[in-house]
Structure formats: structure tokens, C-alpha cells
Amino acid sequence: MGRIFGTDGVRGIANTELSCTLAMDIGRAAAMVVAQEKRKEHPTFLLGSDTRISRFMLLNALSAGLCSVGANVVLLGVVPTPAVAYLVKEMGADGAIMLSASHNPYEFNGIKIFGSEGYKLTDEQEFAIEEIVLDHVLPYDVKWNDQLGTVREDFKAVDRYIQHIIHTVDGDLSGMHILVDCANGSASRTAARIFDQLGVNAMVINNSPNGTNINDGCGSTHIDLLAKQVVEQGCDLGIAFDGDADRCLAVDHTGTLVDGDQLIAMMSLYLKEQGKLKDNTAVVTVMSNMGLFRFAKEHGINLEITKVGDRYVLENMRTNGYLIGGEQSGHIIFKEHLSTGDGQLTAVQLLHLLKEKKLSLAQAASVMTVYPQVMLNVRANKEMKKAVQVDEGVQQEVKKWEKQLGEDGRILLRPSGTEPLIRVMVEGKDQSEIQKAAQSIAQIIEERLAYQS
């Protein structure tokens, strides 16, 4: 992680950690880096956002920064993050910025930057921006008079993205009765239209954003509400998105969660059966459930393992030409169709699979046995995050529990790249045992490292 950029762009509490000044400076620096690489005096940037109340303030700051160094801005309005990634290439823009803090509460916001091909910036590009903003290695290339950038709106551009998602499958998806949770976020603008045009009988909930209710007790981070309503209303399944609609989780007709690992398992197997799974390989992260690794071994599927973060999954996919990869959180990349994870694309591909194979979601998900997994979050600042992997007392506690859990268990300590947390993840066959292990390790982290907070 850099000094401004984390594992998924810039993120912080709006107007404090992510101030207008910082947003404006990031806009300036991003335009300068792109202008230099493209050798363009007036690069064009697309700007989209989710539904947070802070979007008005920060979009204006970003626009001001971009225009001040000669970049032209096209405002897309409220759109999903993957729509921005798709449209930057489809519209021939030089760069794009999505203003979103994804699954975080409304008081947070974030800046995700894409290059002209629809991929998030490289580490080197992010570092170049940080050098301009923090180290002032170059003065801001401020323009004057007719050299200033311009701003225009294109709120209908998202229609092109919607049509692209629809055309990733053949035929319609009629005959399915589903419940869709839009998390009061970006999917509120697009999901109903996508499912309606595909012939899906979709009831949509949490699609009335007011600026402060994004992810509030709903969406992919609060799946219980969706699960309950799916059962009560007799739906075939439920779909949940996060705030910027780049993640998708599902629940079957019994209200049982089907997470990203299970979705990757069934999709990978489906692609293999069709002869479309390149090198019989999918890309996952270290956080993937042990059950996914057992599934892959049983079905002759190779798994490439990366660090947590869709950017690292995509990097591996681009390098090796793999077509599917993702995370347990539901951030799944279908590289044949898009250059980033897309919750709505995932949902459409899932429904297509179920219809083609004439399976319920519960039947399709049964190909993988999910190992019990406990995840505890420990509040942590940067110093604690650095210390957790080297502190002797913490590591001794981890080794003690690793020995007790044996080969059917796994422990992972991971400082979050987007939140002030250290995540303690423990897997194994016995739920009570892994719960004890996670609590014990979390307690040791708090006791040993609290002095650094």
C-alpha cells in the first residue's frame, strides 16, 4: 500500500481524511500523469459516483482539480464502478475516476482511478501521483485562459453499459423469480433495468438512496434481511450488491448464503465443462475458503493464489490470460466481458448458468463444501498493522493454534487495506474450536499491540 492509495484506491471519512483539498490535488496529479503518458495537453476524464451525500462536494473538488490542469471532464452521474471501467474504453476517454467507498458506511468515501483501457492504475502510476501530491516532485501544471478544462454531463452513457451486460448472455432469463438488494447504492440506477430487459421476475429492495442509507443494514454486507425476505416471499433466490455494485453475493431459496468462493466454484466448473476455462485455472486470494481448494482438487481445476484485492487477482489474470477470478466477498472478474469485478455481470452469469443447467442455486452451490470460518476484526492504526506480523507474542499464539487445528485448519492475519482493522481469520472443521482460536488471537493482538494505538 502507498501513502495515499490502499488496496482499492484512496479511502477515508469524507471531509476529514478525504478532504476537498486532497480530492482536488489527486485530480490534478492524476491528469498530469495521464497527460504525460498519453502526450495529451487536454486528456478527457469520466467521473462517476455512488449515492453518498459527500459525492456532491467531492465530485466538484475532483472536477476543479482536473480542469485546473487542462483536463476535460464528463460527468456520468450515479453509476456502478464497473460501468466507469467499461465506459472509459468504450467512449475513448483517457482516464476515469469513480467516487465510492464501496461497502463502507456512508460517512466514508473513496477515489478509484482507471486508465484508458478500463484497468485500475498500476502501483507505479499511483506512486507517481503520490509523489506529486505529497512530495511535490513537480509543481501542479496549472492552466490559464482558454487552456482550462471543461465539464459536460452524459447521464445516458450508462445505457451503453446496461446493454453490454445484457448481451453477455444469449436469450432471456424468464421463468426466474428473484429478490434483488441494491444496498441503496449504485445498482439502484441499473439493476431493475437489466433484469427487466432479460425477462427476469425481479423484486427490487433497498433502491431508494437518500445519501446516508447506502449499505445501512442492507446489501451484501448485511445479507440477513435479504435471506429472510427470500424465504417469506417464496423466491427462487436472492441477489445482493454492495454500494458501488462491484460485488455480488446470493442466497438460495432456503435463505442460505452463497458467497464469492462458491460462485467462483460453480462458474469455473461450468466454464470447464464448456471448454472455456483457460488452462483449467481460476484466480483466487489467500482469503478463499479451504473448501474451494478441496473442490478444485476434486474437479481438476487449478487455483492461482494472490494477495487480497481484486487488483492483484486481475494482475494475475492479465499476465496469464485467465478468464475468471475473484474474492470470497463476491468481487468476481469475468475478463472476457469486463476489466474489473462486476456484481451485476456476476448475477446475470449466475442466472444464465442456473437456467442452462436447469438447477436451483442450492443444487449448483452443492459442488463445494464450505469449511466453517470465523472472521474477527480488531481496531488498529498503521503502527499496529505493521507490528502484527512480527510481534513475537502474537506469532507464538498463532503457532500454538495452528498446531492444535492441524492440517484441516488455517489461520490468517491480514491488515485491512481499506479500513482501520486487522482481520483475524480462522478455518477448520470444528466451529467452536475455531471460534476460540480467533477470540484468543484477537485478544493477544489487542493486549500486545494496544500500546501502539
Side-chain angles (χ1 to χ4, degrees):
M1 290 189 294
R3 293 170 292 168
I4 296 177
F5 290 91
T7 54
D8 192 19
V10 182
R11 196 168 298 185
I13 296 176
N15 215 26
T16 57
E17 297 165 331
L18 181 52
S19 66
C20 292
T21 300
L22 179 58
M24 184 167 64
D25 288 346
I26 290 172
R28 285 170 167 168
M32 288 170 61
V33 169
V34 167
Q36 184 179 29
E37 292 177 351
K38 293 283 186 178
R39 297 183 180 180
K40 274 192 171 182
E41 190 173 358
H42 295 285
T44 296
F45 273 75
L46 308 183
L47 257 62
S49 73
D50 65 23
T51 59
R52 296 164 205 271
I53 192 170
S54 58
R55 71 185 187 274
F56 304 106
M57 170 185 73
L58 292 173
L59 280 171
N60 281 318
L62 280 167
S63 296
L66 289 163
C67 290
S68 72
V69 294
N72 295 320
V73 175
V74 180
L75 298 176
L76 302 176
V78 171
V79 291
T81 289
V84 173
Y86 171 74
L87 289 170
V88 66
K89 183 177 182 180
E90 202 273 340
M91 295 174 67
D94 301 297
I97 298 176
M98 177 67 182
L99 192 62
S100 173
S102 190
H103 59 284
N104 290 152
Y106 84 91
E107 59 265 27
F108 288 81
N109 217 322
I111 295 173
K112 304 180 184 184
I113 309 177
F114 296 88
S116 60
E117 295 299 307
Y119 297 109
K120 291 177 182 176
L121 298 188
T122 64
D123 290 340
E124 292 74 21
Q125 289 171 315
E126 290 182 352
F127 180 69
I129 291 172
E130 288 180 338
E131 280 195 314
I132 295 172
V133 174
L134 299 179
D135 302 329
H136 311 294
V137 295
L138 293 172
Y140 292 121
D141 188 18
V142 176
K143 305 297 184 181
W144 307 93
N145 302 326
D146 61 350
Q147 293 303 300
L148 291 168
T150 61
V151 178
R152 67 180 178 89
E153 298 175 348
D154 190 348
F155 294 164
K156 291 186 177 180
V158 71
D159 294 347
R160 303 182 216 182
Y161 161 77
I162 290 172
Q163 292 306 310
H164 175 68
I165 298 301
I166 291 169
H167 288 112
T168 62
V169 294
D170 295 326
D172 65 31
L173 299 175
S174 59
M176 294 186 178
H177 180 204
I178 72 172
L179 189 63
V180 181
D181 187 341
C182 292
N184 290 313
S186 294
S188 300
R189 186 178 178 195
T190 52
R193 295 172 61 190
I194 290 172
F195 293 122
D196 181 63
Q197 291 186 48
L198 284 169
V200 180
N201 180 9
M203 294 187 294
V204 181
I205 60 174
N206 297 311
N207 62 330
S208 300
N210 62 13
T212 62
N213 61 357
I214 186 171
N215 302 315
D216 186 11
C218 58
S220 63
T221 52
H222 300 86
I223 207 77
D224 290 348
L225 172 67
L226 177 68
K228 181 174 181 289
Q229 292 195 24
V230 163
V231 174
E232 289 177 348
Q233 300 187 37
C235 298
D236 297 321
L237 65 130
I239 297 291
F241 303 118
D242 67 335
D244 65 338
D246 63 358
R247 297 185 187 191
C248 171
L249 294 180
V251 295
D252 67 20
H253 68 284
T254 69
T256 301
L257 172 67
V258 177
D259 67 16
D261 285 340
Q262 294 167 281
L263 293 172
I264 291 169
M266 66 180 82
M267 301 274 189
S268 299
L269 184 59
Y270 183 53
L271 289 172
K272 184 185 178 188
E273 291 169 349
Q274 295 178 307
K276 295 181 179 180
L277 187 64
K278 184 181 185 297
D279 296 337
N280 288 333
T281 299
V283 184
V284 298
T285 78
V286 294
M287 293 292 284
S288 290
N289 190 276
M290 289 178 64
L292 180 58
F293 296 100
R294 296 292 172 94
F295 154 83
K297 186 175 182 180
E298 292 169 1
H299 291 86
I301 294 174
N302 307 310
L303 294 181
E304 288 276 324
I305 305 171
T306 74
K307 295 187 293 184
V308 173
D310 67 291
R311 63 183 301 165
Y312 303 113
V313 172
L314 181 59
E315 182 180 284
N316 188 297
M317 294 173 68
R318 291 182 69 187
T319 299
N320 299 296
Y322 301 135
L323 296 179
I324 186 170
E327 301 180 280
Q328 187 183 73
S329 62
H331 202 138
I332 302 175
I333 302 168
F334 293 87
K335 193 171 176 297
E336 177 185 0
H337 303 300
L338 264 171
S339 58
T340 190
D342 188 332
Q344 293 172 120
L345 173 61
T346 299
V348 168
Q349 296 300 311
L350 171 62
L351 296 179
H352 177 70
L353 179 157
L354 297 178
K355 184 165 185 179
E356 288 294 303
K357 299 190 75 170
K358 297 181 173 59
L359 295 173
S360 70
L361 178 56
Q363 290 170 326
S366 67
V367 297
M368 173 186 153
T369 299
V370 179
Y371 271 59
Q373 187 180 78
V374 172
M375 176 86 74
L376 297 181
N377 293 323
V378 179
R379 298 289 299 181
N381 60 17
K382 291 182 180 179
E383 288 71 27
M384 291 175 68
K385 288 182 178 183
K386 291 177 183 177
V388 70
Q389 303 292 1
V390 297
D391 182 86
E392 185 176 342
V394 172
Q395 294 306 311
Q396 285 179 351
E397 187 71 9
V398 170
K399 289 176 183 177
K400 180 189 82 173
W401 281 104
E402 284 178 336
K403 184 177 180 180
Q404 187 165 326
L405 293 170
E407 64 179 17
D408 285 324
R410 184 168 70 117
I411 298 171
L412 182 66
L413 305 184
R414 188 183 73 84
S416 171
T418 58
E419 298 178 86
L421 302 171
I422 293 170
R423 306 195 191 280
V424 180
M425 189 273 283
V426 184
E427 285 179 323
K429 288 186 173 180
D430 188 306
Q431 180 71 39
S432 63
E433 186 177 37
I434 64 174
Q435 185 72 41
K436 289 177 183 176
Q439 289 173 340
S440 179
I441 294 168
Q443 183 177 343
I444 288 292
I445 292 173
E446 290 174 338
E447 290 175 355
R448 295 279 302 182
L449 304 182
Y451 68 92
Q452 299 190 44
S453 61

